[in-house]
Amino acid sequence: MLLMLAVLVGIQTAVASTSINSCTESALIHPFSSGESIAPGAIQTSPSYTVKRMRGFSFHNVTVFVRDYAGNPVRGAFVKAYSLDWGVTYPHQEEWGFHYEKWGISDDRGAYRFTLPAGFWVFIASGGWGYSILNPEKGLFLGTVAYIDSDASITLKPKRAIRLEVLSESGAHIPVHELYIFITKYIPAIPPALAGHSDTGIITLYTNLENEDLTILAIKRPSKTSDGYILVKNISTVSQAGIISPENTSKLTLTAYEPDGSLSSYWNVEFRLPDLYAGNWVYSFQLTGKDVFHITPMNIVLNPRYIPPTRWYYYFEGIALQLKENREYSYSFGGKISFHLWVIRQNTQLWFDLRDQFGNVLEFYSDPTGGRNITLRILEDGREVYRDNIGKYIPATLFCGIGKTFSDSATFDLYMDLGPLGGLGNISIRGLLYDANNLVKFKNVKSEHFTLKIPVEYFWNVSGQMREEPFIRSLETVYRSMGDFLGEELKGPHSVEVNFEWCGVGGTNFVGFGLGIARRCNAHFNYFFGVLSHELGHLYSFTPPLIWYVECPLFCEPLATYLGIEALAALYGPNIRLWYWGTHPGFFDYLQGDNTVSKIERMQFVFFYLHRVYGPEIHKQFIRLWTKDTLLKEKLKERGFNVNEAMIILYSHLAGENLAWLFQIAGYNISEERVGQGIALLALPATITVGRVSLRVGEIGSVNITIDYLWNGLSGYSITVRLSNPEIAEIVAVEFPSWATLKDSSTLPADSVWIKAVDLQERVNLGDSNVVLAILKIRGDNQGKTEINVIVNQMDDDKGNPINVTTISGEMEVIKVIPFPRCTNPPADLDGDGLYEDINGNGRKDFADVVIFFKYLKWVKDNQPAIEPFDFNKDGRIDFDDVVTLFKVI
């Protein structure tokens, strides 16, 4: 199931020179390495997970005033706020939905007002179109970080100027049609800010940032007489000047054609730069026919578009390129168009495969009304069983699933109005629906962890790029990364299927993707990579041993998304985590009154909140308590707490606070009182139990000392063990478990012993159950019984807190038995249950024991000091039924 993902980034020392006014003194400015003092409590480096109880989620009005170097208001400046806590950006909404590249526009006063949740925020202002048009050869880029917990105003004004020169390969200045700026340390989480333009290739950048690294993106559009440029340069604001040149750049030639073979000026190409920004920011270049671009080596994605004057619109699948230094690349678009209808029989899945003569694949199109006419008619035995314009159901793709499988003899009529693209015009075809020429051929492929059923090679070819291997490689890479994060490796191989109708699905040992998604499941396409990682999160959740499975209705999708984010963050860094987190702003919109935000979206934020405040370990610890060491969960369910209540109580227990308020916001109907009752139940003391043992006189046996549950792990203990009747037995040795790095005990043999152990390597974890503390070796000296009592001197958890415990004493019985006639060794109790099944004393249970016992049954009554060890049916006497019972256990 498809959910976009999200993250948290390390908050680094910031950069700015700014004034801030607040309604209270608690609003806090965090300068970008400006040397200014930081108010108490300010976060200065990476977040340590010690921020507790951020439950207020108060919202505050923050007005940003943008000023130029002379102090005048800047009208039309671009303004954005970016949360260092949650990755959310403001503004982020338009009428049609989320758009994370949207910028606020300053008014005549140079002001833009935000309503933001409390927390740390990066505020960025750039020239935008308003400043740039009125101030050619000048650029503006301003920023600051502030902690917001009350209404505030922030003024951003330049303090210094940096002279930038943009050169061609010959060293001549070239026009800069648009100049964009990034704060380098936040790449790729914040979209580029438009700072200015220059017809001369010289631009003065005004900024307030001190000792901060910036990444400059300079763009020149191509023309019929000059090349295009996409140049990237890192500079420091300490510098007073910088030169941006195409040294060692890649050369990319793009050529566009009309159906008659002539060069076309109706094509443009969207450029995405995923190394700089993970979102959907694009720069679109209008092609003049044949154009050359000089590009700083990096990863790029090209989406060709054909937009003729007739208002038809055609959008082609992306071409992913990894540009290398001093290399040349060439791609062509257009010309004649070919069409093929491909069908997968199950549910009648269709792909309208339209390609230009250079192998570029049409992703979707629209007519001048914004719709498309793809009328499909299906007949069985000459009778119409299906008719619809399926074009209205697939606005952004040419894949479609009818949802029904028809008879083998079903026929079809298809009409498509394609407009002017490629000279095809109207398509009208008919034939056998499941004809062999239409049916997709599949193949089976094996990789390290997967067995894949996928379409054959043809379907993976986009613009001459074969996407099959990158897809499989991405699957394996994210799968391994997720396993490393979780510390788990599932037993494979897992099944993978690619078809036409899915976006993404995941389940037990299985993931599946639509072909349009699978062809773009790699790091070039962040959105689609998020789909892949999300579905692998489902696979980890639902696949045995079901370590990450939680049977909560609102848990499944957010958990898969969370796991997917962490896998990608491990591969590509914390800023990727923060960007994905930022694609889930719905929680804050809900708090501001948007009741359309789903419960699942709100639950998604709960995952992020718990990660942000307590670290990723809280989720790992919760899953451990839920699926592995389930004593606490079972304890809650036995007391009448339902599944959702148990989940919330366990998280509250791990957090050390009642989290009912948080889950209430996420849509759970639970009270703080109910959660408090569960927390109190879990606070009941743990129990230390000493084992029982039955020995012969002179025999040495083992007794385990265990604790049933360690809520918060174990750092160490000191206990004393005493025998209540020292005449019966003696403690001769102590053995320690492997987790005890440091251990010690008093002198032995003795009838009491103190024992100490410390877990230096933290091998005993939070939530571990039935943990062995020590193993006593005890020798039976005289017939009789004695209690084995334990006294806890000190026992601390991993947080340094005392562990509240109760104790249950053990019992030891020493029995004097003698060898049976014709036997050298006395009988033995092999399993410690007080019954001596090993009659002949040879160290094992066998049929000879039954024979000897049957033969000397009366001898037992007359000669053994005690009959209890041989009363196998436990009726208080020795009889033939004891022989039968012994026979049954051999």
Side-chain angles (χ1 to χ4, degrees), residues 282-485:
V282 300
Y283 194 92
S284 183
F285 291 93
Q286 187 67 37
L287 301 184
T288 64
K290 183 174 185 178
D291 299 276
V292 175
F293 295 84
H294 304 271
I295 305 174
T296 300
M298 58 181 158
N299 293 313
I300 65 171
V301 176
L302 310 177
N303 282 98
R305 304 189 300 174
Y306 180 60
I307 311 175
T310 53
R311 295 174 55 206
W312 285 76
Y313 180 88
Y314 304 90
Y315 192 89
F316 286 76
E317 281 198 32
I319 304 169
L321 298 177
Q322 188 176 25
L323 301 181
K324 303 294 185 182
E325 290 185 0
N326 302 313
R327 291 276 301 274
E328 295 190 12
Y329 305 82
S330 179
Y331 283 87
S332 297
F333 316 116
K336 296 290 187 181
I337 293 290
S338 64
F339 170 75
H340 193 104
L341 175 65
W342 294 105
V343 182
I344 296 176
R345 194 177 191 282
Q346 183 180 10
N347 293 329
T348 313
Q349 303 170 50
L350 309 174
W351 178 35
F352 305 99
D353 180 11
L354 289 152
R355 300 175 184 242
D356 70 14
Q357 69 185 62
F358 304 102
N360 302 297
V361 177
L362 186 66
E363 186 169 344
F364 64 90
Y365 71 97
S366 61
D367 62 25
T369 70
R372 62 213 51 78
N373 186 356
I374 306 176
T375 299
L376 178 67
R377 183 168 172 255
I378 299 176
L379 302 95
E380 290 184 322
D381 299 324
R383 182 174 55 89
E384 182 177 283
V385 294
Y386 179 89
R387 182 189 183 95
D388 205 349
N389 173 18
I390 59 179
K392 63 187 179 184
Y393 303 121
I394 51 174
T397 180
L398 290 176
F399 293 96
C400 178
I402 301 298
K404 180 181 179 181
T405 304
F406 299 93
S407 66
D408 290 343
S409 61
T411 61
F412 74 96
D413 291 337
L414 174 67
Y415 174 82
M416 295 180 66
D417 185 359
L418 279 177
L421 178 69
L424 275 183
N426 297 332
I427 295 176
S428 181
I429 58 175
R430 60 180 54 188
L432 189 64
L433 180 61
Y434 302 128
D435 185 90
N437 291 325
N438 298 338
L439 289 176
V440 175
K441 294 180 174 59
F442 285 84
K443 65 177 183 177
N444 296 315
V445 178
K446 289 186 178 181
S447 64
E448 182 179 356
H449 297 100
F450 299 98
T451 57
L452 301 95
K453 180 185 177 183
I454 59 176
V456 295
E457 287 80 359
Y458 168 85
F459 295 91
W460 297 92
N461 188 335
V462 178
S463 304
Q465 297 180 338
M466 297 303 299
R467 302 284 178 83
E468 175 187 330
E469 288 188 10
F471 167 64
I472 297 173
R473 190 163 55 246
S474 295
L475 268 176
E476 289 287 355
T477 299
V478 178
Y479 177 86
R480 284 191 293 268
S481 179
M482 193 172 293
D484 290 343
F485 169 70

Side-chain angles (χ1 to χ4, degrees), residues 22 136 243 253 452 509 533 554 734 752 764 804 881:
S22 171
I243 295 178
T253 301
L452 301 95
N509 271 318
S533 63
L554 299 184
V734 176
S752 70
V764 179
N804 183 21
D881 190 49

